[in-house]
Amino acid sequence: DIQMTQSPSSLSASVGDRVTITCRASQSIASYLTWYQQKPGKAPKSLIYAASSLQSGVPSRFSGGGSGTDFTLTISSLQPEDFATYYCQQSYSTPRTFGQGTKVEIK
Amino acid sequence: QVQLVQSGAELKKPGASVKVSCKASGYTFTGYYMHWVRQAPGQGLEWMGRIHPNSGVTNYPQKFQGRVTVTRDTSINSAYLELSRLRSDDTAIYYCAREVEATAGRFLDYWGQGTLVTVSS
């Protein structure tokens, strides 16, 4: 199975800050990497797919990068509605696996 | 518009089985994989399996082999997750989600609202 490791597990940031979350795969997954955002009591929502493609309707302050084993999710200017938990997931092979999540909290 | 509507909350005793349904609408049900993902209270996301509704082919993680079964009924555009021999640590919200194949990637683009399964004696 491909292990996905996110860092940090949580972070505190202020509105307007630039935030970067990293995700590392235990083996190469090419660009088969998706980032999801989840708010309390809600289903996850896809933000970035294929490592760097912005899902329709997602604000352009979200961006993704990387390929192979190392990936990043960047929020260029954190907004109040961005406080949530973020997960990476590989879709290179089954079993699909998720990172453990990164909780973005208000400083 | 695409919608995935799941069945309601369940309370089960340890050792019992549960079957959660997911009714799809707004797209061609047989054209997309349907996945199941669960989330225990305060925990992360855990993949439980998938089915291709056209062929019925399924994939499961080793952890759940023999305990989880994903099925579908194409006549009513529905997918099902059945989990047997329930334990207290199976208490979680269970989600169905459609997987779309996009250029150079595939991801879960639509999710059901989630079904809370509580396992307690």
Side-chain angles (χ1 to χ4, degrees):
Chain A
D1 297 3
I2 298 173
Q3 307 304 314
M4 306 300 292
T5 305
Q6 281 182 240
S7 61
S9 55
S10 65
L11 64 90
S12 296
S14 301
V15 172
D17 284 354
R18 181 182 182 88
V19 167
T20 297
I21 299 167
T22 65
C23 179
R24 175 165 288 176
S26 60
Q27 65 185 73
S28 177
I29 58 170
S31 295
Y32 287 94
L33 191 284
T34 306
W35 290 99
Y36 299 91
Q37 176 194 66
Q38 188 180 32
K39 296 182 179 178
K42 299 292 187 182
K45 169 190 168 186
S46 55
L47 299 176
I48 302 285
Y49 65 94
S52 61
S53 296
L54 196 66
Q55 168 68 323
S56 176
V58 173
S60 58
R61 62 180 179 273
F62 291 93
S63 63
S67 66
T69 60
D70 293 303
F71 302 87
T72 57
L73 172 69
T74 298
I75 309 171
S76 60
S77 177
L78 200 63
Q79 298 301 300
E81 60 268 31
D82 301 336
F83 291 96
T85 301
Y86 294 84
Y87 295 92
C88 62
Q89 185 214 17
Q90 64 82 17
S91 57
Y92 181 79
S93 65
T94 56
R96 300 282 197 260
T97 42
F98 291 89
Q100 79 277 18
T102 297
K103 187 172 184 179
V104 177
E105 299 175 301
I106 302 171
K107 183 183 282 186
Chain B
Q1 73 283 19
V2 174
Q3 279 195 300
L4 300 176
V5 178
Q6 298 182 223
S7 49
E10 302 266 10
L11 174 61
K12 295 292 183 181
K13 293 192 183 304
S17 297
V18 68
K19 190 171 186 177
V20 179
S21 69
C22 172
K23 183 169 178 60
S25 61
Y27 72 99
T28 302
F29 178 64
T30 52
Y32 300 80
Y33 274 102
M34 188 71 78
H35 292 243
W36 290 89
V37 175
R38 77 177 184 179
Q39 187 169 40
Q43 302 301 308
L45 302 171
E46 182 172 33
W47 186 75
M48 296 197 68
R50 71 173 183 177
I51 188 166
H52 199 290
N54 191 42
S55 63
V57 171
T58 54
N59 300 99
Y60 306 116
Q62 187 67 33
K63 172 180 179 178
F64 294 109
Q65 289 279 358
R67 218 163 60 90
V68 68
T69 306
V70 175
T71 57
R72 91 295 191 209
D73 183 340
T74 57
S75 68
I76 56 171
N77 292 346
S78 292
Y80 305 90
L81 172 79
E82 185 167 20
L83 188 61
S84 62
R85 303 193 299 277
L86 288 167
R87 308 187 294 251
S88 57
D89 61 358
D90 291 317
T91 294
I93 297 173
Y94 290 76
Y95 294 101
C96 62
R98 185 185 84 160
E99 184 176 73
V100 66
E101 290 265 359
T103 305
R106 42 187 173 249
F107 63 100
L108 304 174
D109 63 343
Y110 286 93
W111 295 65
Q113 82 276 18
T115 296
L116 175 63
V117 175
T118 303
V119 183
S120 175
S121 55

